[in-house]
């Protein structure tokens, strides 16, 4: 689920994937959660503050149009969620409900290789993504890449880029080069059209004399 914002004269309503950090920050802004619509409602006068915490948690304040698919490789140590799900870049990666519940993968997450499971003790249970596992996060906002940088416990690789405005998907370097070529061609066409318009305008001025 991507961040979605709807505004009225008095309120700003936010729909997003559950994240305990966002819920905590939303309450501090006197946000009200509606269980039927699964959205948060805030006073419209707090719009700037709402967007600020959205960027802090999700890397997206609802205006992002570029998204990426990212492969994450876990390092030598397991990723652990202590009596909670495992969150990364604002997304739920995996979640358990107890020591013996097993774990499920989050929405928009693909387990490429490795293992997720539950563990720990009855009172102090864990969600576990095993070391050296590889999982893919689909449709991650470009702004959320900052959460993956400078981490010692994971490595990441961008697999594809999606632009919602142009519905363009870039899958590899050759596609990128092709897009650059097309952009340059369009720029050349635009220059040619501009030159033709200039010539026609000059002729029109001459005829008008």
């Amino acid at each position: 689920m991507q961040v979605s914002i709807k505004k009225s004269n008095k309120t700003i309503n936010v729909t997003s994937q559950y994240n305990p950090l966002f819920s905590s920050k939303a309450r501090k802004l006197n946000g009200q959660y509606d269980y039927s619509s699964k959205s948060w409602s805030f006073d419209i006068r707090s719009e700037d503050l709402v967007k600020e915490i959205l960027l802090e948690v999700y890397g997206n304040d609802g205006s992002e149009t570029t998204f990426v698919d990212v492969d994450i490789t876990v390092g030598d140590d397991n990723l652990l969620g202590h009596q909670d799900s495992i969150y990364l870049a604002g997304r739920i990666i995996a979640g358990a409900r107890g020591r013996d519940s097993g774990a499920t993968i989050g929405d928009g997450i693909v387990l490429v290789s490795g293992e997720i499971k539950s563990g720990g003790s009855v009172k102090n249970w864990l969600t576990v993504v095993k070391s050296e596992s590889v999982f893919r996060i689909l449709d991650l906002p470009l702004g959320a890449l900052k959460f993956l940088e400078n981490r010692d416990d994971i490595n990441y690789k961008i697999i594809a880029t999606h632009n919602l405005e142009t519905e363009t998907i870039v899958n590899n370097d050759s596609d990128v080069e092709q897009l650059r070529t097309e952009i340059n061609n369009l720029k050349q066409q635009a220059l040619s059209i501009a030159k033709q318009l200039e010539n026609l305008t000059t002729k029109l001025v001459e005829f008008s004399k």
Side-chain angles (χ1 to χ4, degrees):
M1 178 188 295
Q2 298 297 344
V3 172
S4 175
I5 289 180
K6 292 183 179 180
K7 294 187 289 185
S8 66
N9 290 334
K10 295 184 178 181
T11 63
I12 174 170
N13 297 306
V14 175
T15 304
S16 63
Q17 188 177 71
Y18 171 74
N19 187 290
L21 180 58
F22 179 74
S23 297
S24 175
K25 290 178 176 291
R27 292 188 185 96
K28 292 178 181 179
L29 297 184
N30 199 27
Q32 304 297 314
Y33 187 74
D34 181 74
Y35 287 91
S36 61
S37 63
K38 296 182 179 180
S39 66
W40 286 90
S41 177
F42 304 87
D43 190 298
I44 190 64
R45 291 169 291 184
S46 299
E47 180 179 358
D48 60 327
L49 300 175
V50 172
K51 290 187 174 182
E52 183 177 311
I53 64 173
L54 284 170
L55 289 173
E56 289 178 7
V57 177
Y58 299 105
N60 180 15
D61 62 2
S63 63
E64 183 67 81
T65 59
T66 302
F67 297 83
V68 292
D69 299 337
V70 182
D71 274 0
I72 306 291
T73 302
V74 181
D76 296 332
D77 298 321
N78 297 338
L79 295 182
L80 302 175
H82 296 269
Q83 294 179 285
D84 201 351
S85 299
I86 294 173
Y87 300 88
L88 182 63
R91 299 283 289 274
I92 299 174
I93 304 304
R97 296 183 178 179
R99 182 192 65 180
D100 303 315
S101 68
T104 56
I105 208 76
D107 291 341
I109 308 297
V110 178
L111 184 63
V112 179
S113 63
E115 181 185 5
I116 62 168
K117 65 176 187 177
S118 57
S121 64
V122 173
K123 290 185 177 180
N124 298 296
W125 55 269
L126 301 169
T127 301
V128 182
V129 176
K130 295 285 288 183
S131 62
E132 299 182 354
S133 294
V134 179
F135 56 89
R136 181 168 296 176
I137 303 178
L138 302 176
D139 298 323
L140 183 71
L142 189 64
L145 286 177
K146 63 184 179 183
F147 301 122
L148 305 180
E149 298 171 352
N150 302 318
R151 291 187 57 138
D152 297 329
D153 54 348
I154 61 167
N155 291 303
Y156 76 93
K157 179 182 179 182
I158 298 174
I159 302 302
T161 302
H162 314 263
N163 191 299
L164 297 187
E165 289 186 337
T166 61
E167 297 185 354
T168 298
I169 300 177
V170 180
N171 292 310
N172 50 46
D173 292 340
S174 62
D175 286 342
V176 172
E177 190 59 37
Q178 182 179 349
L179 285 174
R180 286 174 177 166
T181 300
E182 291 178 3
I183 289 171
N184 287 332
N185 288 339
L186 288 172
K187 286 181 177 178
Q188 292 299 321
Q189 292 178 31
L191 289 173
S192 177
I193 292 172
K195 186 64 175 178
Q196 293 179 44
L197 286 172
E198 182 181 350
N199 292 336
L200 289 173
T201 301
T202 301
K203 290 181 178 180
L204 181 61
V205 170
E206 292 177 350
F207 288 146
S208 302
K209 291 180 180 179

